[in-house]
Amino acid sequence: MTQAWFTASHAPPEPHLPPGWRVMGFESLDSTNAALKRIVEQEGDVHEGLMVWAATQTAGRGRAGRVWASPRGNVYVSILVAAPESSARAHELGFVAAVAVRETILELPRHNAGEPKVSCKWPNDVLIEGEKVCGILPEVVSDDSKRPWIVLGIGINLQAVQLDPAAYPPTALSAHGIDTTPAHVLTVLTRSLYKWLAQWREQGFAAIRTQWLGCGPEVGANVAVGLPEGAVSGAFAGLDEDGALLLETRKGKRRIVAGDVLFGDGQNAARD
Ligand code: BTN
């Protein structure tokens, strides 16, 4: 692995990390998710809260095999979390991360008046005023004793945004009066994630689901989801107890476990 990098201008905020958490910073990596997975697979002695952070990525990974453009100035971090006992619950961590990122954004100092609308888009995106500011990619990896871990890959746009026209419209924190640094975002984010992980473990997914629903689409909002067989649209009917998206479609209720929300405009859907 490339030598870890720390410079004065990008000093890692280690003194402010939750107890036992540690960040390895790099000038450039292929992908922080790929790098953290290599560490888990090859170096064995790992712990929850081990993080890999890069100033840029040359092969940033998005969901569904997409590329995550990674210009300098944004947050690219992967955080190691102990997998739940049941592998069927692993995806819940994406929601935990989304709730933590939303809280982080709301806690960052802003220089303009008024609080921006920071919302969650199923399954794991965070939006500001309807535009994507953060993407989350949870991936599973096993260490040399076959113990499973979750790598929570988090990309937050601070200054520069992805310009892929096919992607959900992008935005950055700076466009909403938030001028901050990757190090400061990481300090606030890790504190929030540490707290929500504890709640998830103590109270189960219900606590996270309630939080997510409080910032997700309104029940009844028009939502369209891209599925391998084509797009399906309907009225948002909530999240199932395991995080599946519930849609009221013309053909009845649908439970969607994987897909991409193409739009969710918050207006009431016409139901017939
Ligand atoms: C998405 O498609 O919305 C998920 C994007 C996740 C991007 C982050 S950036 C840090 C980490 N490393 C990666 O290669 N991807 C994730």
Side-chain angles (χ1 to χ4, degrees), residues 40 46-48 81-83 141-149:
V40 174
V46 292
H47 57 86
E48 179 156 302
V81 176
V141 62
S142 297
D143 62 21
D144 53 3
S145 60
K146 303 279 178 274
R147 177 180 174 182
W149 295 87

Side-chain angles (χ1 to χ4, degrees):
M1 154 146 312
T2 331
Q3 185 68 40
W5 134 97
F6 302 127
T7 65
S9 59
H10 291 91
E14 286 200 84
H16 308 295
L17 295 178
W21 286 36
R22 190 165 71 92
V23 60
M24 301 171 72
F26 295 87
E27 178 62 29
S28 175
L29 283 174
D30 50 354
S31 147
T32 57
N33 268 29
L36 185 51
K37 287 173 94 170
R38 286 194 293 269
I39 292 172
V40 174
E41 286 166 349
Q42 295 164 19
E43 295 180 23
D45 184 20
V46 292
H47 57 86
E48 179 156 302
L50 180 62
M51 292 179 274
V52 169
W53 175 32
T56 65
Q57 301 182 115
T58 54
R61 313 211 278 235
R63 293 181 62 243
R66 287 187 291 263
V67 170
W68 185 260
S70 307
R72 210 168 273 278
N74 297 328
V75 165
Y76 310 108
V77 66
S78 297
I79 306 175
L80 196 62
V81 176
E85 264 177 39
S86 160
S87 60
R89 295 191 57 205
H91 71 283
E92 294 176 11
L93 283 162
F95 293 89
V96 176
V99 162
V101 169
R102 176 177 183 268
E103 182 174 77
T104 298
I105 293 171
L106 290 172
E107 280 183 15
L108 292 169
R110 281 187 311 277
H111 60 67
N112 56 8
E115 194 169 89
K117 181 170 186 241
V118 186
S119 55
C120 294
K121 178 168 89 70
W122 189 86
N124 301 152
D125 293 346
V126 181
L127 313 178
I128 302 184
E129 304 295 348
E131 296 180 332
K132 180 163 169 170
V133 72
C134 166
I136 296 167
L137 180 65
E139 295 187 295
V140 183
V141 62
S142 297
D143 62 21
D144 53 3
S145 60
K146 303 279 178 274
R147 177 180 174 182
W149 295 87
I150 306 299
V151 167
L152 275 179
I154 302 176
I156 306 176
N157 295 330
L158 270 57
Q159 306 292 341
V161 297
Q162 282 181 281
L163 294 174
D164 176 358
Y168 213 78
T171 192
L173 296 181
S174 59
H176 299 275
I178 301 171
D179 290 322
T180 184
T181 61
H184 185 61
V185 173
L186 198 57
T187 301
V188 181
L189 174 62
T190 51
R191 188 171 60 219
S192 178
L193 184 61
Y194 184 80
K195 181 189 82 178
W196 287 109
L197 281 171
Q199 291 225 12
W200 173 67
R201 289 193 173 117
E202 283 160 21
Q203 298 169 24
F205 184 58
I208 305 303
R209 179 176 171 272
T210 303
Q211 196 68 23
W212 194 95
L213 284 170
C215 61
E218 282 180 22
V219 169
N222 285 315
V223 170
V225 186
L227 299 174
E229 66 269 26
V232 54
S233 61
F236 178 67
L239 274 192
D240 216 348
E241 283 173 11
D242 61 355
L245 179 76
L246 300 175
L247 267 194
E248 197 68 64
T249 72
R250 288 192 166 87
K251 293 183 183 159
K253 197 166 240 179
R254 281 200 61 170
R255 187 177 177 282
I256 295 166
V257 294
D260 267 313
V261 169
L262 305 174
F263 70 81
D265 60 13
Q267 291 164 15
N268 283 336
R271 275 172 268 169
D272 54 10

